[in-house]
Amino acid sequence: MKIIIIGLGNFGRSLALNLTDNGHEVFGVDHKMEKVDLLKDHIANVVCMDANNESAYKILPIQQADLGIVAIGENEGSSIVTTAILKKYKHLRIISRSLSKIHDTILEAMGINNIIHPEKDAAFRLTKQISFNYALDYFRVDNKHSIAEVFSPYSFNEKKVKSLRLIQKYSVSLITVIRDFKNTIISSKKNYERKVIGLVTGDTILQKGDILTLFGSNKSIMNFVKIK
């Protein structure tokens, strides 16, 4: 995918590097040369220009781009103007960073459906990591529900899923199980490979070391991780 990122502060720079590492063709844009210099040897192309100057966009491959990300984090007005310019390119999918609730309202009025809040999301994620305690990872579904990966409690070992009555007793749904399988290709002591077992049935028997992928309310998952 060809992606244009406008605003190369901490967030925009990290995004540019990660997207490049994932195989995307990234064009970075910032009006400060020092920020451009930090990325010039790491992503496909980086340009120093004023993103509020509509005529400057002629130097960008914007007609060929699939996605435009407005990652400006210092100037709300500049971010709004930049988003408005990108909106003129009808083919372009736009993701825009918001700095306030008023900014949210303006972006929504402009028809921007993909609005991001990096600082707020990072704080939410850290809060959940602390609250979930022993959860290995999780995905936020909404403010009240999440999908989390947790180690199967010792008391669940060698038991069938249907006997655990997860929904009735714990208010969580088991989506799948991640399990260590022996890998005969690797000739070493650590010859195990972690794999998803696929769809879980009531007759699936849980084993020691299994990782359970669960869906439920945040409160239900936080209570579940306390089970021994």
Side-chain angles (χ1 to χ4, degrees):
M1 186 182 294
K2 195 183 294 287
I3 302 170
I4 294 173
I5 298 176
I6 300 175
L8 301 177
N10 291 332
F11 172 65
R13 183 166 62 251
S14 296
L15 196 59
L17 292 170
N18 287 326
L19 287 170
T20 297
D21 287 343
N22 279 273
H24 299 286
E25 186 179 2
V26 176
F27 289 76
V29 177
D30 201 282
H31 70 285
K32 292 183 178 179
M33 197 65 208
E34 60 266 29
K35 293 182 179 180
V36 169
D37 287 338
L38 285 173
L39 280 177
K40 64 182 181 181
D41 296 325
H42 302 285
I43 66 174
N45 290 279
V46 62
V47 176
C48 184
M49 64 170 250
D50 178 8
N52 286 174
N53 180 359
E54 191 171 352
S55 62
Y57 285 75
K58 295 175 182 178
I59 65 175
L60 297 177
I62 200 160
Q63 296 293 352
Q64 293 77 43
D66 304 290
L67 174 64
I69 301 176
V70 181
I72 297 169
E74 299 172 353
N75 188 320
E76 201 167 287
S78 178
S79 174
I80 292 168
V81 172
T82 298
T83 303
I85 293 173
L86 292 182
K87 276 288 289 182
K88 294 186 177 183
Y89 298 91
K90 303 298 183 182
H91 72 286
L92 193 67
R93 180 186 167 209
I94 301 171
I95 297 175
S96 193
R97 177 183 187 176
S98 174
L99 305 176
S100 68
K101 289 184 178 180
I102 293 175
H103 198 170
D104 278 351
T105 301
I106 295 171
L107 292 174
E108 288 167 0
M110 293 169 67
I112 303 300
N113 298 317
N114 296 298
I115 301 172
I116 52 176
H117 311 83
E119 293 84 1
K120 182 179 177 181
D121 291 343
F124 178 89
R125 187 171 183 85
L126 180 57
T127 300
K128 286 297 172 285
Q129 285 176 342
I130 293 169
S131 300
F132 283 4
N133 197 10
Y134 295 110
L136 301 173
D137 199 3
Y138 77 95
F139 170 76
R140 173 186 177 184
V141 177
D142 58 26
N143 287 334
K144 295 184 178 180
H145 299 86
S146 296
I147 295 171
E149 292 181 354
V150 302
F151 277 118
S152 179
Y154 292 117
S155 57
F156 286 15
N157 291 353
E158 305 305 324
K159 290 184 179 178
K160 289 186 177 181
V161 170
K162 62 185 177 185
S163 72
L164 299 171
R165 303 176 66 236
L166 296 174
I167 295 177
Q168 295 89 337
K169 292 178 68 174
Y170 308 106
S171 299
V172 295
S173 297
L174 180 60
I175 299 172
T176 192
V177 175
I178 302 171
R179 178 172 294 166
D180 285 337
F181 289 91
K182 195 164 187 177
N183 190 335
T184 56
I185 298 175
I186 302 174
S187 57
S188 67
K189 291 181 180 180
K190 295 182 179 180
N191 60 340
Y192 287 89
E193 185 178 0
R194 187 163 284 175
K195 294 181 180 179
V196 174
I197 69 169
L199 292 175
V200 174
T201 70
D203 291 323
T204 299
I205 298 174
L206 298 181
Q207 299 177 9
K208 180 180 179 181
D210 280 350
I211 295 173
L212 312 182
T213 303
L214 304 171
F215 168 79
S217 69
N218 296 333
K219 183 178 179 180
S220 296
I221 292 173
M222 283 189 281
N223 287 333
F224 186 89
V225 297
K226 298 174 185 177
I227 301 170
K228 302 298 183 181

